[in-house]
Amino acid sequence: MRWKLTCRDAGDGSGDAILDLPDDLLQAAGWTEGDTLELEPDPDCSTIRLKKVVRCDVCDASTTEMGHGVLQAQWRDGEPERMQLCRSCFGYAMATLKRAHWVNHMFDDDPDSGQED
Ligand SMILES: [Zn+2]
Protein backbone atom coordinates (compact mmCIF):
# COMPACT_ATOMS: atom_id res chain seq x y z
CA MET A 1 0.00 0.00 0.00
CA ARG A 2 1.38 3.39 -0.97
CA TRP A 3 0.08 6.86 -0.37
CA LYS A 4 1.62 10.17 -1.34
CA LEU A 5 1.32 12.54 1.61
CA THR A 6 2.68 15.98 2.31
CA CYS A 7 4.32 17.00 5.56
CA ARG A 8 3.55 20.46 6.87
CA ASP A 9 5.57 22.49 9.33
CA ALA A 10 4.35 22.27 12.90
CA GLY A 11 4.61 26.06 13.05
CA ASP A 12 6.07 26.12 16.54
CA GLY A 13 9.71 26.75 15.55
CA SER A 14 10.70 23.19 16.51
CA GLY A 15 11.34 22.01 12.96
CA ASP A 16 8.87 19.19 13.55
CA ALA A 17 6.56 18.17 10.75
CA ILE A 18 2.94 17.16 10.84
CA LEU A 19 1.67 14.39 8.62
CA ASP A 20 -2.08 14.14 8.25
CA LEU A 21 -3.12 10.54 7.63
CA PRO A 22 -6.23 10.24 5.47
CA ASP A 23 -9.13 8.06 6.60
CA ASP A 24 -8.74 5.57 3.73
CA LEU A 25 -5.11 4.96 4.75
CA LEU A 26 -6.09 4.50 8.42
CA GLN A 27 -8.82 2.08 7.44
CA ALA A 28 -6.62 0.10 5.04
CA ALA A 29 -3.80 -0.17 7.61
CA GLY A 30 -6.12 -0.92 10.54
CA TRP A 31 -4.81 2.05 12.54
CA THR A 32 -6.90 4.13 14.88
CA GLU A 33 -6.44 7.35 16.79
CA GLY A 34 -4.05 6.82 19.68
CA ASP A 35 -1.91 4.20 17.92
CA THR A 36 1.86 4.77 18.00
CA LEU A 37 3.56 4.61 14.61
CA GLU A 38 7.24 4.17 13.83
CA LEU A 39 8.90 5.83 10.83
CA GLU A 40 11.36 3.81 8.81
CA PRO A 41 12.96 5.69 5.91
CA ASP A 42 13.87 3.67 2.83
CA PRO A 43 17.61 3.75 1.98
CA ASP A 44 17.11 6.13 -0.93
CA CYS A 45 15.12 8.50 1.29
CA SER A 46 12.39 8.84 -1.32
CA THR A 47 9.80 7.06 0.79
CA ILE A 48 9.12 6.29 4.42
CA ARG A 49 7.49 3.23 5.85
CA LEU A 50 5.07 3.57 8.76
CA LYS A 51 4.65 0.67 11.16
CA LYS A 52 2.28 0.45 14.08
CA VAL A 53 4.17 0.06 17.35
CA VAL A 54 2.53 -2.33 19.77
CA ARG A 55 3.93 -2.63 23.27
CA CYS A 56 3.41 -5.76 25.34
CA ASP A 57 0.83 -5.09 28.05
CA VAL A 58 2.88 -7.15 30.52
CA CYS A 59 6.58 -6.33 29.99
CA ASP A 60 6.28 -3.22 27.75
CA ALA A 61 8.54 -4.73 25.07
CA SER A 62 8.03 -3.54 21.50
CA THR A 63 6.39 -6.15 19.30
CA THR A 64 7.14 -4.37 16.04
CA GLU A 65 9.64 -6.96 14.79
CA MET A 66 8.10 -10.22 16.00
CA GLY A 67 4.40 -9.39 15.99
CA HIS A 68 2.12 -9.85 18.97
CA GLY A 69 -0.42 -12.25 20.42
CA VAL A 70 -3.83 -11.17 21.69
CA LEU A 71 -5.71 -12.48 24.70
CA GLN A 72 -9.24 -11.21 24.34
CA ALA A 73 -12.65 -11.70 25.91
CA GLN A 74 -16.06 -10.39 24.87
CA TRP A 75 -18.25 -11.08 27.91
CA ARG A 76 -21.99 -10.80 27.40
CA ASP A 77 -22.48 -9.18 30.80
CA GLY A 78 -19.40 -7.01 31.12
CA GLU A 79 -16.66 -4.94 29.63
CA PRO A 80 -14.55 -6.53 26.91
CA GLU A 81 -11.03 -7.38 28.07
CA ARG A 82 -7.97 -7.43 25.85
CA MET A 83 -4.21 -7.80 26.28
CA GLN A 84 -1.57 -7.54 23.56
CA LEU A 85 1.43 -9.68 24.42
CA CYS A 86 4.97 -10.14 23.13
CA ARG A 87 5.98 -13.64 22.07
CA SER A 88 7.62 -14.39 25.43
CA CYS A 89 4.65 -13.27 27.56
CA PHE A 90 2.19 -14.98 25.21
CA GLY A 91 4.23 -18.17 25.47
CA TYR A 92 4.14 -17.91 29.26
CA ALA A 93 0.34 -17.43 29.23
CA MET A 94 -0.13 -20.39 26.89
CA ALA A 95 2.17 -22.65 28.92
CA THR A 96 0.35 -21.66 32.14
CA LEU A 97 -3.05 -22.42 30.62
CA LYS A 98 -1.86 -25.73 29.16
CA ARG A 99 -0.42 -26.66 32.55
CA ALA A 100 -3.79 -25.82 34.21
CA HIS A 101 -5.53 -27.98 31.62
CA TRP A 102 -3.12 -30.82 32.35
CA VAL A 103 -3.70 -30.52 36.14
CA ASN A 104 -7.48 -30.47 35.66
CA HIS A 105 -7.40 -33.63 33.54
CA MET A 106 -4.52 -35.62 35.06
CA PHE A 107 -6.84 -38.18 36.70
CA ASP A 108 -9.16 -38.62 33.71
CA ASP A 109 -9.72 -42.19 32.52
CA ASP A 110 -8.25 -41.48 29.12
CA PRO A 111 -4.53 -41.14 29.80
CA ASP A 112 -3.95 -39.09 26.66
CA SER A 113 -6.66 -36.49 27.27
CA GLY A 114 -4.69 -34.23 29.59
CA GLN A 115 -1.18 -34.53 28.30
CA GLU A 116 0.71 -31.54 27.08
CA ASP A 117 1.89 -31.60 23.55
ZN1 LIG B 1 5.89 -9.20 27.17
Side-chain angles (χ1 to χ4, degrees):
M1 296 182 288
R2 279 178 184 262
W3 274 261
K4 186 172 184 176
L5 306 172
T6 304
C7 294
R8 58 185 167 88
D9 190 85
D12 60 1
S14 67
D16 290 346
I18 295 176
L19 186 61
D20 293 312
L21 303 176
D23 287 339
D24 61 333
L25 185 158
L26 295 175
Q27 194 164 18
W31 299 336
T32 58
E33 191 174 327
D35 285 345
T36 302
L37 303 176
E38 188 176 85
L39 291 172
E40 182 183 291
D42 279 352
D44 64 1
C45 292
S46 65
T47 59
I48 56 170
R49 197 177 297 267
L50 285 171
K51 290 193 286 188
K52 181 178 174 177
V53 176
V54 175
R55 297 228 165 251
C56 176
D57 288 330
V58 174
C59 72
D60 206 36
S62 171
T63 64
T64 304
E65 293 302 317
M66 295 289 284
H68 63 277
V70 177
L71 196 59
Q72 184 171 344
Q74 190 70 50
W75 309 116
R76 290 185 186 182
D77 60 348
E79 291 288 310
E81 296 179 73
R82 180 181 163 91
M83 293 183 87
Q84 298 178 129
L85 304 170
C86 70
R87 178 167 279 187
S88 173
C89 292
F90 190 82
Y92 175 79
M94 291 298 285
T96 302
L97 292 169
K98 286 179 180 177
R99 178 84 182 153
H101 174 85
W102 181 79
V103 168
N104 285 334
H105 296 280
M106 64 195 275
F107 296 115
D108 287 358
D109 291 335
D110 180 1
D112 292 332
S113 68
Q115 288 195 344
E116 292 178 302
D117 44 31

